[in-house]
Amino acid sequence: NAGVTQTPKFQVLKTGQSMTLQCAQDMNHNSMYWYRQDPGMGLRLIYYSASEGTTDKGEVPNGYNVSRLNKREFSLRLESAAPSQTSVYFCASSDRGQGNTIYFGEGSWLTVV
Amino acid sequence: GDSVTQMEGPVTLSEEAFLTINCTYTATGYPSLFWYVQYPGEGLQLLLKATKADDKGSNKGFEATYRKETTSFHLEKGSVQVSDSAVYFCALGTMNYGGSQGNLIFGKGTKLSVKP
């Protein structure tokens, strides 16, 4: 029952450092997403991938890049971390065959100091 | 654009009290509506959903009815438990984002605390 798995769960970065958040799903879903969650803001979409080989910007893409490595994996990269990117990041996936219900990973807590 | 507005929290109730968390939406077309729950330190889990007007979603004693006339999807539970303490998110699912897939637009979340 793995579902959506993301790593790392916790990370502290210094301003200017880079890092990649990894995400994999085992539900054979076509669509994958990266959201960030900030207090009082709900969840906001960073990037999404409708299918393998495609990626598109969401609501808050600045400062991030993504790679849809294959159908299972969708990574999020911070090239030069900033304190404003301190947040909880959630990877998710969905499929039209399941009524577009979106399934979430457990989250990655990122702090940029 | 599409949006979701849900009541601000926190909401504090005693065990066995009745719960209502209001959610209204603005959308073009015919979106699906969802309630997600987030327990402390965890990711979001789908609680219930409704895909068309007048549908009622239900799960674990929670219910919500898709009301197109009032553009609402209020979450209710007749008798809350301490274990229901969590943050609840109302969300709207649209097929319009990118034109080819579903995405969710979330409300800001309502924190529920249930006291014994």
Side-chain angles (χ1 to χ4, degrees):
Chain A
N1 273 6
V4 179
T5 303
Q6 52 181 112
T7 57
K9 193 169 179 70
F10 299 97
Q11 183 73 49
V12 178
L13 287 178
K14 294 182 179 179
T15 298
Q17 285 186 319
S18 63
M19 77 158 297
T20 299
L21 299 176
Q22 307 286 352
C23 176
Q25 51 92 9
D26 63 1
M27 296 175 282
N28 202 36
H29 286 170
N30 286 311
S31 301
M32 297 186 73
Y33 313 79
W34 277 105
Y35 288 88
R36 61 177 288 173
Q37 182 181 26
D38 302 293
M41 299 292 290
L43 276 78
R44 294 180 292 171
L45 183 66
I46 304 171
Y47 270 93
Y48 67 99
S49 170
S51 61
E52 184 179 354
T54 69
T55 62
D56 285 286
K57 295 178 180 179
E59 182 183 354
V60 288
N62 291 345
Y64 305 95
N65 287 300
V66 291
S67 295
R68 184 74 182 267
L69 304 170
N70 48 55
K71 191 171 186 179
R72 290 187 64 248
E73 298 174 287
F74 188 41
S75 62
L76 177 72
R77 182 161 178 84
L78 287 69
E79 291 290 353
S80 179
S84 61
Q85 294 177 304
T86 294
S87 188
V88 184
Y89 292 85
F90 289 97
C91 180
S93 69
S94 71
D95 195 277
R96 293 185 69 165
Q98 296 185 15
N100 281 313
T101 298
I102 293 183
Y103 296 87
F104 287 84
E106 294 187 344
S108 296
W109 274 253
L110 176 65
T111 301
V112 183
V113 297
Chain B
D2 297 346
S3 66
V4 173
T5 303
Q6 62 181 103
M7 64 186 287
E8 294 185 14
V11 174
T12 302
L13 295 174
S14 298
E15 208 164 22
E16 299 184 2
F18 185 86
L19 169 71
T20 300
I21 301 177
N22 290 335
C23 172
T24 57
Y25 68 91
T26 302
T28 55
Y30 302 95
S32 296
L33 299 173
F34 303 81
W35 277 100
Y36 279 81
V37 58
Q38 184 179 31
Y39 298 102
E42 298 184 11
L44 279 74
Q45 303 172 26
L46 178 66
L47 180 60
L48 54 85
K49 69 177 183 180
T51 58
K52 61 183 187 296
D54 299 325
D55 268 4
K56 176 186 283 188
S58 61
N59 186 26
K60 299 181 181 180
F62 291 89
E63 294 183 340
T65 301
Y66 188 164
R67 302 284 189 200
K68 193 170 188 299
E69 63 276 13
T70 56
T71 62
S72 65
F73 193 54
H74 304 321
L75 182 68
E76 297 182 336
K77 186 175 186 183
S79 176
V80 294
Q81 305 301 312
V82 173
S83 57
D84 294 325
S85 297
V87 181
Y88 293 82
F89 291 91
C90 185
L92 180 157
T94 172
M95 289 299 295
N96 295 323
Y97 207 109
S100 61
Q101 64 157 44
N103 183 31
L104 289 178
I105 297 171
F106 285 89
K108 293 184 177 181
T110 302
K111 183 176 182 180
L112 170 66
S113 297
V114 181
K115 306 299 184 185

